[in-house]
Amino acid sequence: MALEFKDLLKLSKQVAKANPSAPVAYSFGDKSYNYSEMNEALRTEYAALAGTYRDYKINQNTIFSLMEQTIDDVLPAKVLEQYGQFAEIKTFAQGDKPLFVQKITTASRRRAKQFIGKVGLAGLYEVFRLDGKSYEVTTNAIGGAAQIGFEEFLDGNIDFAEVLNIVMEGLDECIYIEIEKQLIGAVANVQPANKSVQTTFKETEMDRLIAIADSYGKSAIYCTFEFAATMIPSDARMSEAMKNAMWDNGYLGNYKGHQVIVLPQSFEDETNTTKVLNPAYAWLIPSGATKPVKIAFEGGTIVDEYVNYDRSREIQVYKKVGVRAIFTNDICVYENTSLTRT
């Protein structure tokens, strides 16, 4: 192995964190590398560890430890980068109770301020209880696997750097699916004034919800590309700049002074028939509001191997993750039933 373990681990984490399409240089040691150079260096190192079956068996613990520590470090950061705008993400030690403290809402602070200086008879102050609470997010093991054919392994065609990438994508997708389930499941608990269900996009209804959310702080609109593409004013109110933005992006990034944040969309399988996120929903979240999604990572990643009857191998990865959605009365939801997942 050309690199010591600590340097190989650093390289593995840098490759996992890097954006392949970003034309930037990454420093490693005393030199700078682009993504392809750094990725190729990682491929070479993994090939040295598992170039033959004998090498693989000797270095298996090292390879699995590299994968485990890379996932433990990179997966929470990757989830934070993708979903941090509307999700609070924490990492807990194995066995610790994953607790999130719900922050006091803006509305509570306003109501509390109204009580300052009010004194009742005999000097008794009016009592006001702020609505801060703590929530436990139950974690469960999620898994990803990559199958390796024995002949491919013997032929030296296996790329453990790619195995790590496949497993990382699978775990990230699993978390995204759980976020979707939690968000949709929590809609039923949103008070009637804070949601609107329509068969199309109606400006008046979106404006009504914005007025509610904005009373707690300037709100942003979170939705998929499909929903964002429907949020357009009548032709008579479309400026040339707006038309150009629609042509270039397919949607307006600003709706009446409110930022439109397009959430990443994906599909549940390779048939591209069922979307991960239901495009029918848009979420209006004020700035400074309690983030509605709570994501808890508990304990370390476990990487193991399962050998099939045909001698092929499955590199299986397990990580304990919990996801929960908690809506407060400053968040609004718009549902356009004409947009569907399939």
Side-chain angles (χ1 to χ4, degrees):
M1 183 170 60
L3 291 177
E4 293 184 7
F5 181 86
K6 62 181 180 63
D7 293 324
L8 182 52
L9 178 59
K10 181 181 178 182
L11 177 63
S12 181
K13 290 179 180 180
Q14 279 204 318
V15 171
K17 291 177 180 178
N19 182 353
S21 60
V24 296
Y26 300 90
S27 62
F28 186 79
D30 58 350
K31 296 182 179 180
S32 296
Y33 303 89
N34 60 35
Y35 174 81
S36 60
E37 291 171 335
M38 198 165 56
N39 192 50
E40 187 57 36
L42 183 63
R43 292 176 189 272
T44 302
E45 292 295 330
Y46 269 114
L49 287 170
T52 66
Y53 180 70
R54 180 176 298 174
D55 289 339
Y56 169 68
K57 295 304 293 183
I58 292 172
N59 297 312
Q60 188 180 71
N61 288 338
T62 298
I63 293 170
F64 286 2
S65 181
L66 282 168
M67 296 176 71
E68 289 168 349
Q69 293 185 57
T70 298
I71 291 171
D72 280 338
D73 184 72
V74 176
L75 185 61
K78 186 176 182 182
V79 171
L80 177 63
E81 180 182 353
Q82 291 178 299
Y83 317 121
Q85 292 172 308
F86 63 93
E88 183 180 358
I89 300 158
K90 290 185 177 182
T91 299
F92 300 87
Q94 177 65 38
D96 284 357
K97 184 177 289 188
L99 289 177
F100 287 78
V101 177
Q102 180 159 336
K103 298 177 182 177
I104 300 164
T105 63
T106 303
S108 291
R109 290 193 183 94
R110 289 176 180 170
R111 291 195 297 270
K113 287 179 180 178
Q114 291 173 5
F115 284 89
I116 293 174
K118 290 186 177 181
V119 182
L121 295 176
L124 296 177
Y125 286 83
E126 292 185 32
V127 176
F128 180 76
R129 175 172 293 178
L130 297 176
D131 58 348
K133 298 178 181 178
S134 63
Y135 297 93
E136 181 177 359
V137 178
T138 304
T139 59
N140 297 287
I142 62 172
Q147 185 166 323
I148 298 172
F150 191 63
E151 290 298 324
E152 291 178 307
F153 188 88
L154 293 178
D155 293 340
N157 295 328
I158 296 305
D159 186 346
F160 272 91
E162 185 62 24
V163 169
L164 175 62
N165 184 53
I166 290 171
V167 170
M168 284 279 291
E169 286 185 1
L171 294 176
D172 182 59
E173 183 107 327
C174 189
I175 293 169
Y176 202 17
I177 290 173
E178 191 60 29
I179 290 174
E180 155 73 1
K181 291 178 182 178
Q182 288 288 321
L183 283 173
I184 302 304
V187 169
N189 297 324
V190 176
Q191 58 193 17
N194 287 47
K195 57 185 174 182
S196 180
V197 182
Q198 305 293 330
T199 58
T200 185
F201 176 74
K202 291 184 178 179
E203 266 188 84
T204 54
E205 278 300 292
M206 178 59 79
D207 293 350
R208 179 182 70 82
L209 295 179
I210 286 177
I212 294 174
D214 277 1
S215 67
Y216 297 91
K218 188 75 169 184
S219 58
I221 303 169
Y222 297 80
C223 60
T224 63
F225 172 84
E226 289 174 82
F227 193 103
T230 67
M231 296 175 56
I232 53 177
S234 61
D235 289 339
R237 296 165 56 190
M238 284 279 281
S239 67
E240 287 302 315
M242 294 168 71
K243 291 177 182 178
N244 290 335
M246 283 294 299
W247 179 260
D248 293 338
N249 305 318
Y251 68 97
L252 296 174
N254 186 292
Y255 178 84
K256 298 184 179 180
H258 297 80
Q259 185 181 8
V260 178
I261 299 171
V262 173
L263 302 174
Q265 182 64 282
S266 185
F267 293 90
E268 291 189 355
D269 56 36
E270 66 277 2
T271 63
N272 295 342
T273 54
T274 303
K275 305 177 185 74
V276 171
L277 273 187
N278 190 333
Y281 293 90
W283 319 90
L284 286 72
I285 304 177
S287 61
T290 299
K291 295 179 180 180
V293 177
K294 315 295 180 184
I295 303 175
F297 291 94
E298 181 186 353
T301 301
I302 298 174
V303 177
D304 209 344
E305 179 188 64
Y306 179 80
V307 182
N308 298 308
Y309 72 93
D310 62 353
R311 303 279 290 164
S312 64
R313 285 167 155 69
E314 289 182 8
I315 306 301
Q316 301 179 343
V317 180
Y318 300 91
K319 180 75 176 174
K320 290 182 73 174
V321 182
V323 181
R324 186 173 179 182
I326 303 166
F327 284 1
T328 48
N329 64 338
D330 51 359
I331 295 175
C332 297
V333 184
Y334 190 114
E335 181 181 0
N336 181 349
T337 58
S338 67
L339 302 175
T340 62
R341 293 182 67 193
T342 55

